[in-house]
Amino acid sequence: MLARLQQALVLGWLVALVAAGVWPWRAGHPGWAVAAVALVLVSHALWLGVTFALMRWRNRRDPAPPASRAQWLAAWWGEVRAAPRVFGWRQPFRSWAEPDFVPAEAPGRRGVVLVHGFVCNRGLWTPWLTRLRVAGVPFVAVNLEPVFGSIDDYVPIVEAAVRRLEQTTGERPILVGHSMGGLAIRAWLARYDADARVAGVITIGTPHRGTWLASLAHLGINAQQMRPGSDWLRALEAAEPAARRARLLCLYSHTDNIVFPASNALLPGARRQHVAATAHIELVHRPEVMAPLWQALGR
């Protein structure tokens, strides 16, 4: 469903790009045509600039390590390059370029369950999936649907992925969640009391204590659940034993333009690792973010 929606958005953007150039040109205004095309081309960079400005404003008093102007600029530029690859290509058109890898010879190999975030799909993980397959690591990458449903709706999807690897490998898998995906994993742990069934949990840019940006969102139950101080987040945290949190590793950044204030990506009592000068989508593609998974796999 999400892939089709994003395909339509990409095609709409291409139509807008052509129209922005053709109409002024045919009207005898080549200068306006060039300017209009340039504006459409950089529209996503401008939108990202807005999210970065909001993030910087909300991070003023946050205890996360402060970011320099050079770090803000580096994070923005990294996200300008990363976002089109994810939202304009991998998710809408290549979400199944790397199918789940659960080979017949998987018994005895520890597997990985990958859980994406809000308005994403399994195409987000494509570079990870390629590396895992080449290394012979079994994996299942889920699609969370309905796209704008409750995070609780995703618990059976996570359960099915974990059970598939359990039955095939005979090993406890490692769960990795980006953004909202980390909350879906925590909700699964709570519903199934599944601490003994996992070898580790890694969350990447997950709004464990909500994100201010969700306060502006009115589309989707899941977005409302990610508002700071929401009843859903409070109930989830209240149901978690300290030992469960201690097993989680939270990777976060002081320049995350979606989850802010930055320290909201940290779960009290969990382990933490800071990744400097990196925005929300680019976090997935940094080698130091994937490194803890390789360490947990003993690679």
Side-chain angles (χ1 to χ4, degrees):
M1 176 181 175
L2 181 71
R4 291 195 295 271
L5 175 61
Q6 292 186 341
Q7 287 170 11
L9 291 174
V10 171
L11 293 175
W13 181 85
L14 291 174
V15 169
L17 181 66
V18 172
V22 170
W23 287 352
W25 190 279
R26 294 183 64 180
H29 303 291
W32 284 109
V34 172
V37 168
L39 181 61
V40 174
L41 286 173
V42 302
S43 57
H44 81 286
L46 297 175
W47 165 243
L48 288 173
V50 172
T51 65
F52 271 80
L54 291 171
M55 168 187 59
R56 188 168 187 178
W57 170 57
R58 295 300 299 179
N59 277 347
R60 289 173 300 169
R61 298 179 180 86
D62 192 72
S68 67
R69 290 184 179 179
Q71 288 174 319
W72 291 105
L73 183 61
W76 171 80
W77 179 240
E79 199 74 349
V80 166
R81 292 179 296 148
R85 292 198 299 267
V86 171
F87 294 103
W89 179 242
R90 289 176 186 154
Q91 291 189 166
F93 302 106
R94 300 282 291 169
S95 62
W96 286 97
E98 284 286 356
D100 294 337
F101 179 65
V102 189
E105 62 273 18
R109 301 188 196 177
R110 191 172 307 284
V112 181
V113 175
L114 299 112
V115 188
H116 64 77
F118 186 63
V119 294
C120 286
N121 66 22
R122 67 188 306 282
L124 171 79
W125 301 106
T126 299
W128 289 53
L129 307 185
T130 301
R131 290 191 61 186
L132 289 169
R133 179 181 53 76
V134 170
V137 177
F139 64 79
V140 175
V142 304
N143 274 332
L144 300 181
E145 292 185 349
V147 176
F148 301 111
S150 169
I151 297 173
D152 294 316
D153 294 338
Y154 307 142
V155 170
I157 299 173
V158 177
E159 168 66 11
V162 172
R163 189 170 294 277
R164 183 180 176 192
L165 284 177
E166 286 175 333
Q167 293 174 345
T168 306
T169 69
E171 298 286 335
R172 296 175 300 154
I174 299 168
L175 276 67
V176 182
H178 175 251
S179 195
M180 182 188 69
L183 297 178
I185 292 172
R186 287 174 59 199
W188 169 79
L189 285 167
R191 183 180 301 182
Y192 287 91
D193 194 19
D195 302 83
R197 295 172 59 192
V198 298
V201 176
I202 301 171
T203 67
I204 305 166
T206 291
H208 289 296
R209 291 186 288 170
T211 172
W212 184 86
L213 201 59
S215 302
L216 305 178
H218 299 283
L219 179 64
I221 299 172
N222 44 12
Q224 297 172 27
Q225 290 171 328
M226 289 187 285
R227 292 174 179 173
S230 72
D231 292 341
W232 189 88
L233 285 174
R234 291 179 184 274
L236 179 62
E237 188 168 340
E240 288 176 325
R244 178 179 300 162
R245 298 182 194 173
R247 299 184 64 191
L248 268 68
L249 172 63
C250 303
L251 292 104
Y252 76 111
S253 177
H254 55 182
T255 50
D256 188 325
N257 62 311
I258 299 298
V259 177
F260 55 85
S263 61
N264 280 21
L266 300 175
L267 185 64
R271 294 173 294 139
R272 60 185 64 182
Q273 179 177 326
H274 181 251
V275 183
T278 310
H280 193 65
I281 294 299
E282 194 194 5
L283 268 173
V284 177
H285 306 117
R286 293 292 291 267
E288 61 265 45
V289 171
M290 197 173 185
L293 174 60
W294 290 117
Q295 293 169 4
L297 290 168
R299 302 290 179 122

